[in-house]
Amino acid sequence: MALKKILKFKIINTFTIVISFIVSFFILDLGVNSFLRKGLKKYYGIEDNSEIALIGHSHIMLGLDKESMEKKLNIKVAKYTSEGVDILNRKVMIDYLLEKNDSIRLLIYGVDAWSFSGEGLSANSQVLFYPFLDNVNIDHYLRECVPFKDYLTRKIIKTTRYNEGLISSSFRGYLRNWDNMKSGTVNLKKVKEQIAKNKYRKINNNPLYIETLTQTIETLSLNKIEIILFYIPTLHLINQVENKKFKKNIDIFEQIESDYDNVKFINFTDAYSHRYELFYDPIHLNSVGQKVVTDSLIKILQKNYYNDIGI
Amino acid sequence: MLFNSWEYLFLFLVTTILYFNISLKYRTFLLLISSYIFYISWRLDFALLMLAVTMVNFFGGIKINASRSKKSKKYWLALTIFLSLIPLIYFKYFNFLIENINFIIPFFDNNLQLPYIEIILPVGISFFTFQALSYSLDVYYGKTNVEYNFINFSGFVAFFPQLVAGPIERSSNLLSQFRNKHLFLKENFLIGAKLFIWGLFKKVVIADRLAIYVNNIYDNPELFNSATLAVATMFFAFQIYCDFSGYSDMAIGSAKILGFNLRQNFNLPYLANSIGDFWKRWHISLSSWFGDYLYIPLGGNRVRYYRWVINIFLVFLLSGFWHGASWTFIIWGSLHAFYYLVESWGDKFLNLIDFNFIKRYWGYKVFKILTVFVLVCFAWVFFRANSITDAFFIIDEILSFKKGDLYIGSSAVTFILSIFLIFLLLIVQIMQYLKIASMYFYKSKAPASIQFLWYLLICVAISTLSVSSNAFIYFQF
């Protein structure tokens, strides 16, 4: 009997420790999630009533300097960019941004020759939306496109919604740091070797992506938002690997430009793709490249958008 | 079913609750059912294979025990070993054999090429085969009593916490525990849970993160410079340690909650000050398996010098071959044998010149720890490289000290975080070495509140920083 009493007491004691541990864990989980999500929103500029929004993946992320644009144009710029987000993801990003911010008047949308190629970008870029799982639309989107077990885990334990990229972005949001920290220059020899070994991303157009881009433009047009399809330059060596397909996709963007009054296609490829010193790798600009390209874009914006959005 | 999955958590919770609430006579049967559910989650037919190995050793043990003459015992032991090894050889080494035959055939002016067979290696086959064999060998050497209860024996071979990646248990330790009544104890629960959490952290936060960088470099070594290849090799040293020791910790922790004591499998191996010491700290259950069932039966060190050298090479070579059917693993094992012998010669030389006093200085100890780490890393190149050609290329590149920028991977944050985590691991290991932090079943000196906070932070780190997509590396061994 005595042994049973002791065991019972010990089990209750253990139970108390476990429960307090679990409760503490969920409180901490809630706090960390709240902190990280706030930082992310600051980094992306989701709730800061910006008038210009930059949307895209790493090309735009490393290619455009938001702070420089804000300073020189004297206007707020939201830079909602994430690595590997494809056209389908970007539609969700834009919908979310428009829901949170009704003052956007110009949206700069990153495009490239590989924009309509689903494969080779990221296998699971939708995970970048996990931090905003509490939003109804994003919840709906994720429930459909991620395995239920993953969805449920993120729903219950909020800190599982982050990865180090998102955590880093969150901290950069608090620190107000949007710098391009890529300082090296592309290794041309290595690029040539990779091309020779057939290790490059292929251009394969998926009709769904083209259709989704059109839908995105329609939505933005309904909201009376000006759109720039902006081609951040990619290295000449990579552009010419599938030259015909490359030109065909440039034609698609030019066609979209002519189809819509509020769409302009700006292509910096011819101007900068041969200037190797501006590239960190074949598809991303280094900090010098970012400055050059941003300054050029600012000049175009000052020249062409003064009347439309008051720059 | 991985340890870091909801399925495992569910299976473990249900098993634990039922285990402590049912009659003693059904408990082992419950564990057996859970173990087979755990294993069948990979593939049903592999479970039948495990059952076959179990039956061979169960009846083999009875026959060995019942044999009166030594010759008859030997016969039954040889038959048991032979039958147990057939699946392992077929699934793990058959294509390696074909590959080597195909390499040799052209030297005899023959164009014949034998076809490869498509095989999927059953998860944990090397582990459960060696565990079952240890029982038959122990019965033969009279180290353990024969087991007549098939449920108990099957539970011993298939015990789910350590089934697929060890520690490789001995019947003298684990089998007897199936006969005992285990009570749910607070101490066991807390020790087990702490071990599990720390193991999970090492696996999903450190090992899986380092794997991203290592895989990137080792899959295309020709694209990277000396510094990058050296860093990738060092990362791999920590990746494989965290991966394997993390898994062992989770296995030992799970078993501890159920009241079972599994053997310690790792004991701060990178703080070893000699190669011999390293093998007493790394994958202890396998090292001691080869020691007890191969090295000692071969005569150990009580033989002529040249035989001892052969024994050492044989043990390390087979240990390498156990890890994988490739020449890279054989070279890895041979390299360790070579280190071991050179070290023994070095010790003899210090004795000869009466220079032993140097061993007392801490600087010498630190020098030895670093030297052992570098040598172990050098051998890891062969272990991780995709081919011998790649391994030699990587070593050649590293030793050429060619200048160039260090590749930091696709994300600077990941790289910096990886280095931070390695430092964190080292600090914890030093604290464990000094017995300030807990390790295995030893208690921590830290106050309960600090421990509570530490494990809380570890849990948040697991949920925030885990990289859950990679499978356990050691599953394929």
Side-chain angles (χ1 to χ4, degrees):
Chain A
M1 280 301 281
L3 181 71
K4 267 194 172 180
K5 271 189 178 174
I6 292 167
L7 280 175
K8 204 173 174 186
F9 170 75
K10 285 198 165 182
I11 288 169
I12 291 168
N13 193 11
T14 310
F15 186 72
T16 316
I17 294 172
V18 172
I19 292 296
S20 21
F21 189 86
I22 291 171
V23 170
S24 308
F25 172 77
F26 278 105
I27 292 170
L28 199 58
D29 180 64
L30 213 64
V32 172
N33 170 57
S34 172
F35 174 81
L36 290 176
R37 193 181 48 198
K38 199 172 172 187
L40 260 186
K41 284 185 175 174
K42 282 177 188 281
Y43 184 69
Y44 293 144
I46 285 172
E47 289 174 345
D48 62 2
N49 294 320
S50 307
E51 286 167 83
I52 296 180
L54 311 175
I55 298 285
H57 55 45
S58 50
H59 291 198
I60 289 270
M61 185 194 283
L62 296 170
L64 287 179
D65 182 354
K66 157 198 156 88
E67 286 174 296
S68 170
M69 288 174 77
E70 284 182 331
K71 204 174 165 187
K72 289 178 182 165
L73 298 170
N74 196 25
I75 199 165
K76 271 199 162 184
V77 178
K79 188 176 180 180
Y80 191 9
T81 58
S82 282
E83 292 98 340
V85 286
D86 60 19
I87 284 190
L88 308 179
N89 297 144
R90 290 183 207 182
K91 186 169 186 319
V92 181
M93 289 161 75
I94 289 169
D95 289 344
Y96 182 59
L97 189 65
L98 294 182
E99 188 188 320
K100 298 281 175 188
N101 183 347
D102 56 7
S103 50
I104 291 185
R105 284 184 287 161
L106 171 67
L107 190 131
I108 300 174
Y109 189 103
V111 292
D112 55 61
W114 296 266
S115 285
F116 306 123
S117 311
E119 65 275 8
L121 190 60
S122 165
N124 57 349
S125 53
Q126 63 272 15
V127 301
L128 301 166
F129 296 115
Y130 278 137
F132 308 123
L133 193 56
D134 294 333
N135 177 276
V136 181
N137 294 328
I138 289 193
D139 182 299
H140 185 70
Y141 169 71
L142 286 173
R143 204 183 304 177
E144 282 181 359
C145 69
V146 300
F148 181 69
K149 206 169 64 183
D150 290 359
Y151 167 80
L152 197 65
T153 307
R154 269 75 185 180
K155 203 74 184 158
I156 298 168
I157 306 171
K158 293 176 192 294
T159 42
T160 57
R161 298 174 182 180
Y162 298 86
N163 58 36
E164 59 244 49
L166 290 167
I167 295 168
S168 157
S169 300
S170 173
F171 279 102
R172 289 178 76 172
Y174 281 110
L175 297 169
R176 304 190 60 77
N177 179 347
W178 290 272
D179 295 346
N180 175 344
M181 290 187 274
K182 308 280 187 193
S183 56
T185 307
V186 62
N187 182 338
L188 296 178
K189 192 184 156 204
K190 203 182 279 182
V191 175
K192 283 174 188 166
E193 278 173 11
Q194 283 181 313
I195 292 170
K197 286 181 182 172
N198 216 16
K199 284 182 180 174
Y200 58 87
R201 191 171 167 221
K202 311 285 184 302
I203 301 175
N204 289 317
N205 285 3
N206 180 344
L208 176 68
Y209 283 67
I210 300 175
E211 194 187 319
T212 308
L213 178 62
T214 314
Q215 281 173 10
T216 308
I217 291 170
E218 298 282 352
T219 310
L220 291 168
S221 304
L222 280 174
N223 284 280
K224 295 182 178 160
I225 294 171
E226 296 287 321
I227 304 153
I228 292 176
L229 300 180
F230 185 49
Y231 197 120
I232 291 275
T234 43
L235 193 70
H236 172 65
L237 288 173
I238 287 287
N239 298 346
Q240 66 184 16
V241 177
E242 294 183 284
N243 201 20
K244 278 186 183 172
K245 287 182 179 178
F246 184 89
K247 282 182 178 161
K248 190 184 155 199
N249 280 2
I250 297 294
D251 290 345
I252 293 177
F253 298 127
E254 284 170 350
Q255 183 60 45
I256 294 173
E257 181 185 31
S258 63
D259 288 348
Y260 295 90
D261 290 341
N262 59 332
V263 177
K264 186 170 173 60
F265 175 49
I266 298 176
N267 183 2
F268 279 177
T269 311
D270 292 340
Y272 298 111
S273 67
H274 285 84
R275 289 185 59 184
Y276 305 128
E277 76 281 7
L278 304 180
F279 289 88
Y280 170 74
D281 65 27
I283 53 172
H284 298 115
L285 296 176
N286 56 28
S287 51
V288 180
Q290 185 191 58
K291 192 180 180 317
V292 171
V293 167
T294 306
D295 286 347
S296 301
L297 180 68
I298 288 170
K299 278 178 194 157
I300 293 174
L301 292 177
Q302 284 170 329
K303 191 176 167 189
N304 297 318
Y305 286 85
Y306 183 83
N307 293 332
D308 297 322
I309 60 169
I311 293 169
Chain B
M1 193 184 294
L2 298 171
F3 276 173
N4 51 321
S5 68
W6 289 111
E7 289 89 341
Y8 179 77
L9 191 66
F10 180 74
L11 176 76
F12 184 71
L13 272 177
V14 171
T15 307
T16 307
I17 291 166
L18 287 176
Y19 185 77
F20 290 111
N21 287 288
I22 57 172
S23 159
L24 178 65
K25 59 180 175 181
Y26 299 120
R27 285 186 176 185
T28 306
F29 188 66
L30 170 76
L31 290 181
L32 185 61
I33 298 285
S34 298
S35 299
Y36 270 83
I37 291 173
F38 178 75
Y39 200 69
I40 285 169
S41 71
W42 275 287
R43 262 177 72 157
L44 177 67
D45 47 350
F46 290 168
L48 297 174
L49 195 74
M50 183 168 69
L51 185 65
V53 172
T54 306
M55 287 170 78
V56 164
N57 283 275
F58 178 71
F59 292 111
I62 291 172
K63 282 289 181 189
I64 292 165
N65 186 59
S67 302
R68 288 185 184 171
S69 69
K70 201 170 181 187
K71 196 179 168 188
S72 172
K73 273 182 192 286
K74 222 173 214 174
Y75 165 77
W76 283 111
L77 176 69
L79 186 66
T80 307
I81 293 174
F82 175 71
L83 291 175
S84 301
L85 289 179
I86 286 175
L88 183 65
I89 291 167
Y90 174 75
F91 283 99
K92 196 165 176 175
Y93 301 106
F94 192 80
N95 277 338
F96 177 69
L97 195 71
I98 299 284
E99 186 188 333
N100 285 284
I101 292 171
N102 284 344
F103 179 77
I104 293 166
I105 287 173
F107 292 106
F108 298 96
D109 290 333
N110 196 326
N111 290 327
L112 179 77
Q113 286 289 289
L114 299 175
Y116 291 98
I117 49 170
E118 276 188 32
I119 325 176
I120 296 172
L121 185 65
V123 175
I125 188 169
S126 309
F127 288 93
F128 67 70
T129 303
F130 269 47
Q131 183 153 316
L133 276 177
S134 80
Y135 161 78
S136 301
L137 286 158
D138 280 348
V139 172
Y140 176 80
Y141 289 117
K143 287 184 186 170
T144 192
N145 295 326
V146 69
E147 178 62 58
Y148 291 104
N149 183 330
F150 186 68
I151 302 293
N152 274 356
F153 184 71
S154 305
F156 159 70
V157 176
F159 189 44
F160 72 94
Q162 45 85 241
L163 172 60
V164 292
I168 302 167
E169 277 299 331
R170 305 294 176 79
S171 57
S172 54
N173 178 43
L174 185 59
L175 190 53
S176 57
Q177 294 186 55
F178 281 96
R179 299 180 197 119
N180 304 337
K181 185 177 182 179
H182 301 283
L183 298 172
F184 181 83
L185 298 174
K186 174 193 162 188
E187 290 75 18
N188 283 352
F189 177 81
L190 292 181
I191 290 170
K194 283 182 198 172
L195 261 174
F196 191 93
I197 291 170
W198 177 238
L200 188 62
F201 176 80
K202 282 196 282 186
K203 164 65 190 156
V204 300
V205 178
I206 306 181
D208 289 352
R209 177 159 284 98
L210 294 177
I212 298 169
Y213 185 84
V214 173
N215 293 346
N216 195 358
I217 309 298
Y218 265 78
D219 287 345
N220 299 291
E222 70 281 2
L223 299 177
F224 302 98
N225 60 21
S226 310
T228 307
L229 290 166
V231 168
T233 304
M234 193 198 71
F235 273 19
F236 179 69
F238 286 101
Q239 179 205 334
I240 194 157
Y241 169 68
C242 289
D243 199 293
F244 195 17
S245 74
Y247 190 92
S248 288
D249 285 352
M250 286 187 272
I252 296 166
S254 300
K256 188 71 179 171
I257 292 171
L258 288 165
F260 287 82
N261 289 330
L262 300 184
R263 310 156 59 104
Q264 187 177 5
N265 213 15
F266 290 87
N267 184 16
L268 315 174
Y270 292 143
L271 295 179
N273 58 20
S274 70
I275 291 296
D277 189 26
F278 175 80
W279 281 103
K280 284 177 192 153
R281 293 164 177 270
W282 179 273
H283 203 176
I284 300 164
S285 62
L286 181 74
S287 315
S288 63
W289 198 101
F290 277 109
D292 291 348
Y293 302 124
L294 188 66
Y295 179 67
I296 291 173
L298 285 171
N301 56 3
R302 294 177 183 173
V303 287
R304 289 188 177 185
Y305 188 74
Y306 79 94
R307 271 296 303 272
W308 177 72
V309 171
I310 292 171
N311 289 351
I312 292 291
F313 260 98
L314 203 62
V315 168
F316 278 106
L317 202 131
L318 284 174
S319 169
F321 203 43
W322 179 91
H323 284 85
S326 162
W327 284 103
T328 51
F329 292 106
I330 295 172
I331 293 176
W332 173 74
S334 308
L335 255 177
H336 274 278
F338 177 70
Y339 293 162
Y340 193 87
L341 292 171
V342 170
E343 190 174 83
S344 78
W345 296 332
D347 277 344
K348 277 183 184 164
F349 179 69
L350 285 180
N351 282 335
L352 200 71
I353 59 168
D354 206 15
F355 218 65
N356 263 327
F357 66 91
I358 197 171
K359 290 180 182 174
R360 288 197 297 272
Y361 293 104
W362 69 268
Y364 179 74
K365 284 178 187 166
V366 173
F367 168 75
K368 280 200 85 177
I369 289 172
L370 291 174
T371 308
V372 169
F373 181 71
V374 171
L375 290 173
V376 168
C377 282
F378 184 82
W380 284 136
V381 172
F382 287 92
F383 194 95
R384 176 59 186 83
N386 294 336
S387 65
I388 296 180
T389 319
D390 272 9
F392 281 112
F393 173 83
I394 290 165
I395 287 167
D396 189 41
E397 273 298 298
I398 291 175
L399 296 178
S400 72
F401 299 106
K402 278 181 194 161
K403 282 183 184 174
D405 291 335
L406 174 69
Y407 175 71
I408 55 164
S410 54
S411 156
V413 182
T414 305
F415 188 80
I416 292 163
L417 189 63
S418 300
I419 290 180
F420 169 77
L421 288 167
I422 289 173
F423 272 106
L424 180 74
L425 178 81
L426 287 174
I427 290 166
V428 171
Q429 300 243 300
I430 290 166
M431 286 171 77
Q432 287 175 326
Y433 186 77
L434 299 172
K435 303 229 186 298
I436 297 167
S438 63
M439 185 177 66
Y440 189 52
F441 298 155
Y442 307 122
K443 281 189 176 176
S444 164
K445 283 182 189 169
S449 54
I450 299 288
Q451 288 185 52
F452 186 91
L453 192 66
W454 166 251
Y455 284 99
L456 199 60
L457 291 174
I458 289 285
C459 282
V460 174
I462 289 168
S463 64
T464 315
L465 299 171
S466 70
V467 182
S468 53
S469 57
N470 294 348
F472 287 99
I473 290 177
Y474 256 78
F475 275 10
Q476 295 302 314
F477 295 155

